[in-house]
Structures are given as C-alpha cells and as structure tokens.
Amino acid sequence: MHEMSLMESVIEIVCDTARQNGADAVRSIRLDVGVLSHVNPDSLLFCYEAIRRGTIAENAALEINRIAGEGWCLDCGKTVPLEERFGACPDCGRHRVQMTAGDELKIRDMEVI
Ligand SMILES: [Zn+2]
C-alpha cells in the first residue's frame, strides 16, 4: 500500500511548513488527488488516521479533492476528458492523447492555528 508512504510525506511537509510559520497546530489539509492517479482516497484517509497521531496535525481535518482526468488529443488538437490512462479520445476515438490532468497528488492548501 503506497498510500502509507505518500501520506507520511504529506504529513511531514505539512508539519514542517506549519512549524516554519510558527504555528502550534494544523487545522485542516486539502489534497488534490487525480482520478487517474494510482492513489485510493479511502486508503489515504485510512493511512492519515494512523500517521497523524502524535503530530501537530493530529486534529486536522483532511479534505480530498478529486481532479478529473484530462488530456490533449494530438489529432483533434484540443483538450478532451480522459476516463482512463492511455484512454481513447472521445471525439476521434484515437489513442494519441497525452494526459494533462488527473494524475496529480498535491497539497492544495492548509490552515494552521
Ligand atoms: Zn481526438
């Protein structure tokens, strides 16, 4: 389950950032998780419960924001919705679509006290 190491990194970054800003605690964390990334939001939440204990993010609320898949079709020359990795273009049906969104896992923002 790679969500555990991902969540460890997130908590580490969040706690470091909070301390650098002189905060006593983290109130909330918002993550952007792409639907095409190999990250399971339920697993992330589960790992978060285990990892946040004993940190200054112990009482923080975690919000996971899902980012829809999107790609650039080389044949149509435009941005199209993407349902799966290496999926076909919904307009022309070809597979020359470069993924431009939906693969991310990043910290959108956080709130400290
Ligand atoms: Zn196309």
Side-chain angles (χ1 to χ4, degrees), residues 41-62:
D42 290 337
S43 300
L44 272 185
L45 284 169
F46 176 81
C47 297
Y48 175 63
E49 294 301 324
I51 295 167
R52 67 173 166 170
R53 290 206 188 94
T55 73
I56 60 170
E58 189 162 26
N59 296 313
L62 178 68

Side-chain angles (χ1 to χ4, degrees), residues 73 75-76 80 89 91-94:
C73 177
D75 289 310
C76 299
V80 294
C89 168
D91 283 359
C92 68
R94 296 200 186 97

Side-chain angles (χ1 to χ4, degrees), residues 1 3 5 8 11 16 25 33 36 42 63 73 89 99:
M1 189 159 62
E3 280 83 359
S5 57
E8 273 169 6
I11 294 293
D16 283 354
V33 179
L36 305 180
D42 290 337
E63 190 185 314
C73 177
C89 168
M99 185 163 48

Side-chain angles (χ1 to χ4, degrees), residues 12-112:
E12 201 178 300
I13 293 165
V14 163
C15 290
D16 283 354
T17 308
R19 272 192 294 266
Q20 279 160 20
N21 287 283
D24 296 322
V26 180
R27 192 201 292 262
S28 67
I29 305 166
R30 284 202 299 170
L31 295 181
D32 279 351
V33 179
V35 296
L36 305 180
S37 68
H38 295 294
V39 176
N40 181 320
D42 290 337
S43 300
L44 272 185
L45 284 169
F46 176 81
C47 297
Y48 175 63
E49 294 301 324
I51 295 167
R52 67 173 166 170
R53 290 206 188 94
T55 73
I56 60 170
E58 189 162 26
N59 296 313
L62 178 68
E63 190 185 314
I64 295 179
N65 191 24
R66 298 294 266 158
I67 306 295
E70 216 173 65
W72 176 258
C73 177
L74 293 171
D75 289 310
C76 299
K78 64 176 184 182
T79 298
V80 294
L82 203 57
E83 300 292 324
E84 55 182 333
R85 270 168 186 268
F86 311 113
C89 168
D91 283 359
C92 68
R94 296 200 186 97
H95 283 262
R96 303 213 305 150
V97 182
Q98 290 176 341
M99 185 163 48
T100 53
D103 192 32
E104 55 276 270
L105 187 152
K106 63 181 184 204
I107 302 167
R108 173 180 284 256
D109 56 32
M110 55 186 273
E111 211 184 340
V112 295

